Amino acid sequence: CAVCDARFVADKEVVIAGGGDSAVEMVLQLASYVKKVTMLVRKGSMRASVAMQKKLADYPNAFVEYHKEITHI
């Protein structure tokens, strides 16, 4: 879970892959602990509900990048 792992990424920049409510929820949970959290969305729009997208906009250290796909780590 994001909150459980937050201590390992505190004050770092992290990336979350996904575009649905679960990905947004993870971003919201981590945003309080990390320097920057970037959500990578494969398509040109999120599947997350409008309400979740509005919550995401309230976090100045949370960013969304569209048309991104992780091909290797």
Side-chain angles (χ1 to χ4, degrees):
C1 83
V3 175
C4 302
D5 294 337
R7 65 181 177 184
F8 299 112
V9 294
D11 298 320
K12 296 186 180 184
E13 295 184 10
V14 297
V15 174
I16 302 297
D21 285 341
S22 295
V24 173
E25 185 65 34
M26 191 172 289
V27 170
L28 299 180
Q29 291 174 353
L30 286 173
S32 300
Y33 300 95
V34 299
K35 182 191 301 186
K36 176 182 176 183
V37 56
T38 303
M39 187 169 141
L40 302 181
V41 181
R42 190 171 27 147
K43 297 182 179 182
S45 62
M46 283 190 250
R47 294 181 321 273
S49 68
V50 173
M52 291 297 281
Q53 291 182 47
K54 286 182 180 178
K55 287 182 184 181
L56 185 63
D58 290 337
Y59 289 81
N61 65 330
F63 301 88
V64 179
E65 294 186 18
Y66 296 97
H67 303 286
K68 303 288 182 177
E69 188 170 343
I70 298 174
T71 58
H72 64 278
I73 296 177

